[in-house]
Amino acid sequence: MEPYTVYTYPSVSTCGQPIIINEEVCTGCNACVEVCPIDVFAPNRETGKAPHVQHPDECYSCGVCVMHCPLSDEGAIDYRHPIMWAVRWKRKETGEHFRLGVADPPDPSRTPPVPGGKNWGGGGTW
Amino acid sequence: MSEFESLLYPYPIDYEEVNEVSADVVVLGGGIAGCWAAIAAAKKGLKVVLVEKGATIRSGCNGPGVDHWANALTNPACPISPEEFVEATLECADGWFNGLTQYISCRDSYECLLEVEQMGVKVRDTEDEFKGADFRDEKTKLLYAHDEENKYVILLWGTGVKPALYNECTRLGVRIFDRIAASSLLTEGGQQGARVIGATGVHVRTGAFYVFKAKAVVMGLSVPKRVWTFSQELGGLFAHLGPNTSVGSGHAMAWKAGAAFNTMERSGKVSGGFSAFVDCSARTEGAWEPCGLVDSRGKEVPWIDRDGNVLDSIEARNKLAPGQKFNLSYPGTGWKHYYPWVPKYEFRRNTIIRDLGERANKGEFVPPFYGDTPGLPETYRRKIWGFMIGQEGTTRIMIYKHYLESGFDPEKDMVQYYGHYAGSGGYTGSPSGPEAWRELRAGPAAGGLLVDWDMRTTLEGLYAAGECVWATGGHSIAATTGRWAGRHAADYARQASEPVVSSDQVQQERARVYAPVRRERSIAKGAVDWKEFNLGISRTMQLYCPKTKNDEMLKIGLIQLQEFRESEGQRVFAREPHELMRALEAYDILEVGEIILNASLARKASCDSLEFYRLDYPEDDPPEWHKFLTVSQDNGKPKVGELSMNFWGSLEDNYESHYSPEE
């Protein structure tokens, strides 16, 4: 075949940006690229660099990229709700109102209710 | 990098490459059903190939995890029999349900759970974290959900299921071909209706072509998940309960090959998408657990039993009504309107008052409402948050991790319940959009491939399992039917003749799949973007196959889809393999639309139990139409067939006579 230049194009059908990669922490291992069922990611052409979140609008929020990231606990990759899905909640005792992504959130829960404690599946320990 | 930008395409592209792969059994789809089919066939000693569009280790509707293992009727703590359970589910669905696959599942489900345990998945509370909980069996350490007295739904630490199935496939020598979208079925002589002898596929990264030759094929692909909807307001292209790549390609290719489908006229209003399960801990119908609901002033919404008696304690909410043998609390049984209310008194479970909307409108309660997880006993709070959310597909990261890290604490906080947007009298779930946004429902209520007791379709050589089979869905049903279909496909392949692939059929398919990458790309010169094409098909379904339909609308819908196929469809372009995947999906959605429209035209009657309403035939389920309708293609023309209710015959006798053991 003739060599020719091909690009991959963003094809934005929704406005959400659910996948956040911290390029300072990410080592470019591409575990997320390889596990994503949709191919939301495109690997970086530079070895060791963070992949591109190329099709964020096609993400269906399954979270397996975070589960398989060896550095998810260190914040290499995270999922956040696009703001149209940002749920509100009320603290029962005080009546205070909060929202996902609010500027000054309460401290994270220290006693996760999932059996076995905090284990998002990161580092392959699902 | 998060800005939208064009990048150099990251993978080498080769639209000329053709790879030929031979096997005894080819499985299409590496989700739960496909993996179980591949494992079962490999255990019989056959050469098995698994073809998956994503990455088998995490793909499919339960790729990220599963929390409930349903239909575990044969587990030692369950006092009810598979026969009476299936009879009850059929009664609740007014007979419009797949007794055959439901029965196979009820007989085999617990056995499959034990196999999953053997593969290394935790299914028992071995660390005694729930010791003393009402829903725990102290002897076996199994945890139960829903009907806690009859114990037919088992909780599991299910985020590990897909990796375990993947490892088992690998251990048994299954050759896995990831990132390949199956595109068509190959038939003997290339003829519609002939024996199925393989499949073709396109690599979604490189664009390379694959020809899979096989003595038997197992279809493990999903129910079509986006036919009516292609929305910017709904999340991630919007596919309810699964990846948006699950568009019904299996339906499309089986339709083209001539296989028959059952009940494809059924559809319902989209049941999710706006809120992405944000309020699932608050919804009684979402969690089926006894979480309280309070209004904005802290007033508790009463729970009632089936007779309307108010239940005073949290513990009473998961118990049976006086004199009740068992309840059907699991929404996986295809009953009328899917979620709101088990229709038959005998099997109805406790829930919140059903007239909350009316009572709120009169001022008795003040919306919005909140889910009172802090008011639950600790064991139930962890059951909902630890299992329902922490182990269920997609919610572990999206909700469990994200909410907790964002400061939400189920011990202290009450999540807002978005049912108050559902409109007057709604209050039972998330907002769901316009009436014309419909879906084929989740597996248990959706139409799909007709199968016999071997889980063979109407085509020789083609077996099917999981959601692509009519009225068959849910994790444990996918597992059990996958295992059953894999064994029978293997038995058939052993004695089947060597397949001879028609090179004409392969060449025609290559020409079809690569047409979009070779077309004009200038919009000014008439090129059509795949998204516009996709939305045009969805809008056609919204306009001409809405909730209430008539012959005229349905016929226009068919004409319009045919026009799209011959006109705009000939101008759809793709610039790289990922876009090509999406363009090919849009063509498949068009095929699925045609199946639905043909099936809808065939039923000249309304049927409330099927959520099927005709302006021109308004009478509800008249006796002469109380039968299943099938559609298929014969020489390219739609053909309608019919089947009586309970056409599967004696469940127990057929199960026994068609049982194929593991070897």
Side-chain angles (χ1 to χ4, degrees), chain B residues 18-62:
Chain B
V18 178
N19 301 277
E20 291 182 12
V21 181
S22 280
D24 296 318
V25 176
V26 163
V27 179
L28 305 179
I32 302 301
C35 283
W36 277 91
I39 289 165
K43 278 186 174 171
K44 288 205 181 228
L46 278 84
K47 283 197 298 180
V48 181
V49 156
L50 179 65
V51 182
E52 162 58 41
K53 196 186 210 171
T56 301
I57 194 167
R58 282 294 179 193
S59 59
C61 298
N62 277 153

Side-chain angles (χ1 to χ4, degrees), chain A residues 8 36 39 58 85 91 119, chain B residues 7 179 274 396 413 582:
Chain A
T8 167
C36 174
D39 267 347
E58 296 183 23
W85 292 341
R91 191 140 287 193
N119 171 15
Chain B
L7 307 166
R179 305 287 172 193
F274 275 103
R396 181 183 185 85
D413 295 323
R582 292 302 192 187

Side-chain angles (χ1 to χ4, degrees), chain B residues 32 35-36 39 43 65-69 108-124 154-168 475-480 483 662:
Chain B
I32 302 301
C35 283
W36 277 91
I39 289 165
K43 278 186 174 171
V66 61
D67 54 343
H68 291 124
W69 194 275
D108 292 359
S109 175
Y110 181 61
E111 202 178 287
C112 286
L113 179 70
L114 297 180
E115 278 190 40
V116 164
E117 188 179 26
Q118 288 294 311
M119 294 177 206
V121 175
K122 181 172 170 173
V123 304
R124 293 170 209 272
I154 297 173
L155 293 166
L156 71 158
W157 283 253
T159 49
V161 166
K162 264 325 279 293
L165 291 173
Y166 175 82
N167 290 340
E168 183 73 351
H475 188 108
S476 61
I477 302 183
T480 47
R483 192 177 76 154
E662 182 182 321

Side-chain angles (χ1 to χ4, degrees), chain A residues 1-2 4-23 30-45 50-68 72-73 75 77-82 84-102 104-122 124-126, chain B residues 1-11 13-16 53-55 57-61 63-65 127 129-130 157 159-160 163-164 179 204-205 230-237 239 241-245 273-276 278-279 295-298 370 372 374-375 378 381-382 385-387 390-391 393-416 418 521 530-531 575-576 578-579 581-582:
Chain A
M1 258 174 85
E2 290 289 307
Y4 60 100
T5 307
V6 178
Y7 292 88
T8 167
Y9 303 91
S11 55
V12 187
S13 63
T14 65
C15 41
Q17 291 283 357
I19 304 297
I20 308 297
I21 293 182
N22 184 337
E23 290 176 34
N30 289 335
C32 54
V33 179
E34 290 313 317
V35 80
C36 174
I38 310 284
D39 267 347
V40 164
F41 303 91
N44 202 305
R45 295 169 71 85
H52 305 272
V53 185
Q54 185 64 2
H55 299 294
D57 54 314
E58 296 183 23
C59 170
Y60 90 105
S61 303
C62 74
V64 299
C65 52
V66 179
M67 291 165 78
H68 283 250
S72 66
D73 286 349
I77 190 168
D78 211 350
Y79 173 87
R80 73 166 181 93
H81 267 59
M84 66 279 197
W85 292 341
V87 67
R88 299 197 69 84
W89 70 84
K90 187 155 89 170
R91 191 140 287 193
K92 192 176 182 181
E93 287 289 304
T94 63
E96 291 168 281
H97 244 265
F98 299 100
R99 172 176 67 78
L100 280 183
V102 72
D104 187 19
D107 284 340
S109 168
R110 299 295 175 201
T111 53
V114 81
K118 180 173 178 289
N119 171 15
W120 317 127
T125 54
W126 50 73
Chain B
M1 299 243 230
S2 55
E3 315 83 52
F4 295 115
E5 58 186 336
S6 297
L7 307 166
L8 280 175
Y9 188 77
Y11 305 105
I13 295 175
D14 195 343
Y15 298 133
E16 307 294 326
K53 196 186 210 171
I57 194 167
R58 282 294 179 193
S59 59
C61 298
E127 278 129 62
E129 291 180 79
F130 291 88
W157 283 253
T159 49
R179 305 287 172 193
V204 299
R205 289 179 171 175
F230 185 87
S231 171
Q232 304 201 352
E233 193 165 343
L234 302 167
L237 287 181
L241 299 175
N244 52 48
T245 43
F274 275 103
S275 58
V278 288
D279 58 350
D295 79 353
S296 62
R297 296 174 187 183
Y370 295 86
D372 187 12
E378 173 65 13
R381 188 161 49 240
R382 284 197 288 136
W385 271 81
F387 282 100
Q391 302 290 337
T394 77
T395 53
R396 181 183 185 85
I397 299 300
M398 172 172 63
I399 297 182
Y400 181 74
K401 178 178 191 286
H402 186 52
Y403 280 27
L404 265 52
E405 290 185 345
S406 299
F408 177 82
D409 185 343
E411 282 181 37
K412 297 176 185 159
D413 295 323
M414 304 189 298
V415 71
Q416 203 171 92
Y418 288 81
R521 297 174 187 188
W530 72 264
K531 280 183 286 186
R575 296 171 291 190
E576 34 90 331
H578 185 78
E579 282 194 348
M581 171 185 86
R582 292 302 192 187

Side-chain angles (χ1 to χ4, degrees), chain B residues 33 36-38 40-41 44 100-101 103-105 107-108 111-112 218 451-456 463-465 477-491 651-661:
Chain B
W36 277 91
K44 288 205 181 228
L100 187 158
T101 53
Y103 187 73
I104 290 173
S105 170
R107 288 287 297 263
D108 292 359
E111 202 178 287
C112 286
V218 182
V451 293
D452 64 14
W453 272 101
D454 290 344
M455 300 226 52
R456 205 202 85 175
Y463 296 75
I477 302 183
T480 47
T481 56
R483 192 177 76 154
W484 190 278
R487 289 177 181 177
H488 280 283
D491 292 344
L651 295 171
E652 203 171 351
D653 293 350
N654 277 304
Y655 175 93
E656 300 295 347
S657 61
H658 291 265
Y659 188 83
S660 173

Side-chain angles (χ1 to χ4, degrees), chain B residues 296-501:
Chain B
S296 62
R297 296 174 187 183
K299 183 175 177 181
E300 180 129 347
V301 175
W303 274 68
I304 51 169
D305 69 11
R306 60 181 178 170
D307 297 310
N309 300 315
V310 173
L311 302 167
D312 290 327
S313 74
I314 290 170
E315 288 71 23
R317 293 172 183 169
N318 265 18
K319 300 286 182 269
L320 297 169
Q324 190 173 28
K325 189 171 181 193
F326 63 98
N327 72 35
L328 285 176
S329 49
Y330 193 67
T333 40
W335 60 64
K336 185 155 63 182
H337 306 318
Y338 191 49
Y339 270 120
W341 186 244
V342 180
K344 296 292 190 273
Y345 176 81
E346 195 182 346
F347 308 108
R348 198 170 287 171
R349 61 159 290 149
N350 307 326
T351 184
I352 57 167
I353 51 170
R354 306 311 302 178
D355 55 352
L356 175 60
E358 288 83 350
R359 286 165 72 170
N361 289 345
K362 287 180 190 154
E364 188 180 339
F365 299 96
V366 181
F369 296 91
Y370 295 86
D372 187 12
T373 42
L376 280 172
E378 173 65 13
T379 48
Y380 277 103
R381 188 161 49 240
R382 284 197 288 136
K383 190 184 189 186
I384 293 174
W385 271 81
F387 282 100
M388 267 293 300
I389 298 171
Q391 302 290 337
E392 169 73 314
T394 77
T395 53
R396 181 183 185 85
I397 299 300
M398 172 172 63
I399 297 182
Y400 181 74
K401 178 178 191 286
H402 186 52
Y403 280 27
L404 265 52
E405 290 185 345
S406 299
F408 177 82
D409 185 343
E411 282 181 37
K412 297 176 185 159
D413 295 323
M414 304 189 298
V415 71
Q416 203 171 92
Y417 171 72
Y418 288 81
H420 64 271
Y421 294 123
S424 172
Y427 297 89
T428 53
S430 306
S432 56
E435 192 68 60
W437 286 4
R438 298 182 76 72
E439 63 184 0
L440 281 180
R441 291 298 187 219
L449 283 161
L450 180 66
V451 293
D452 64 14
W453 272 101
D454 290 344
M455 300 226 52
R456 205 202 85 175
T457 67
T458 54
L459 299 181
E460 185 183 349
L462 181 64
Y463 296 75
E467 274 193 344
C468 63
V469 175
W470 77 278
T472 298
H475 188 108
S476 61
I477 302 183
T480 47
T481 56
R483 192 177 76 154
W484 190 278
R487 289 177 181 177
H488 280 283
D491 292 344
Y492 168 80
R494 268 185 188 150
Q495 51 79 42
S497 61
E498 205 54 47
V500 182
V501 171

